[in-house]
Amino acid sequence: MSPPLRVGIISAAWGAKAHLPAWRSLDGVEVTAICTSRPETAAKAADDFKVARAFHDFRAMAADPEIDIVDCGTRPPLRFAMVMAALGAGKHVYNGIPFAKDLADAQAMTDAWRKAGTVAVVDAFMQAVPAMVQMKAMIEAGWIGEVFGADVAFEVPLFSAAQTNVPDYIWFADPANGASAGRNLGSHMLHLLVHFFGPVASVTADQSLALKAWPLEGRTIRPAVPDRASLLLRHASGLPTRLEANWCKIGGDGFRFSVWGSRGRLEARAPVFPMAHDTRLFGTRDAALAGPAMGEIAIEPEYLALPGCHSDADRPETGLLALASIFAKMRDAIGGTGAAAPDFAQALHVQEVVEAAATASNERRWIDL
């Protein structure tokens, strides 16, 4: 039996709360290190989360010969140096979303990955949610017939005039961080569209800032990035798709992904970010049916379990089964079996679409990629 792959996580926030349990649910993987920016917080995180080793310098973690995979957390401008250090040391890398603050950083990381020859994956795990996996299989099996189009929307009140629901995400307000509704929420949905329908050939968009102030603990955050984005996409296959992202929409419907064709329609829905335990699948092949009244389709057991994984699809941990599925593909690819996804090549393409959408919105035109 091969020794377990040793993972070092950079982040005691999202990385420890969501990624750590997903890594620990897998056979053949061991989380051996955690890294934060200061010795005292690193030591506390290692103690709190029962991780053997603490680092306060990501470069030291990247260089350590007893670590195989570096899981990079935090915001895109800070992650760039972490990813480059890890790839430079020949490590396998798991990187967050948005992939990069801009296209130059995205291209540099992708070039470094190709030079390193290691496995590198991004945190776009919507495509691994069981409802989405089953939905794609049904489409490929012809359940809706010839595919005519798709739309995906993620509209939630992360921020409102009354409250900032996610204080940890106030970095979203600063354009220097490579943030916006289209770059953050939109990147996740673009990965899903590319996974289902292939690369994007052209895009046009409208993006703007509606809510000018976010209240936070007696002070006011003044965002300088678009909080809503509408994208029209044409895939290389010719298929048209549409994307809506909005993080300040009071009463927003959460997440919805609808695909229709010559024989029917399928739709995945989730109250906020789609997770294994709360994303439901609906569909109809009734040509006379109008409106949203579609029947719910049960998720088959084969999509609710993962070989070599001890997580449960019904448990409410953030993204656990979907994250574990992405991690498992990464583990297997490192072992020479299968392919890891979504990899840095897909992430670079999504970044190209994100940047093209920003240009399209500013210049009021279609952009060919």
Side-chain angles (χ1 to χ4, degrees), residues 27 48 51 53 57 71 76 88 179 185 197 216 239 257 270 282:
D27 293 336
D48 289 347
V51 177
R53 305 173 66 200
D57 183 343
D71 182 335
L185 307 185
F197 308 119
L216 180 67
L239 186 76
F257 178 38
F282 299 84

Side-chain angles (χ1 to χ4, degrees), residues 218-270:
R219 60 192 175 106
T220 300
I221 306 298
R222 300 201 177 276
V225 302
D227 54 23
R228 55 156 299 279
S230 300
L231 278 62
L232 292 178
L233 308 153
R234 182 73 64 170
H235 292 258
S237 65
L239 186 76
T241 61
R242 180 169 61 90
L243 181 153
E244 293 285 333
N246 191 318
W247 64 33
C248 295
K249 188 173 183 179
I250 294 174
D253 292 329
F255 173 85
R256 177 181 52 78
F257 178 38
S258 183
V259 186
W260 62 93
S262 58
R263 296 180 58 200
R265 176 181 165 206
L266 288 168
E267 184 168 293
R269 304 173 192 164

Side-chain angles (χ1 to χ4, degrees), residues 30 50 73 95 106 114 130-131 150 166 194 212 214 217 225-226 228-229 239 257 278 316 327 332 336:
E30 182 182 2
K50 305 297 184 286
N95 186 27
R114 290 189 168 120
V166 191
V194 170
K212 307 299 193 297
W214 304 346
E217 299 171 352
V225 302
R228 55 156 299 279
L239 186 76
F257 178 38
D278 63 2
F327 291 164
D332 296 346

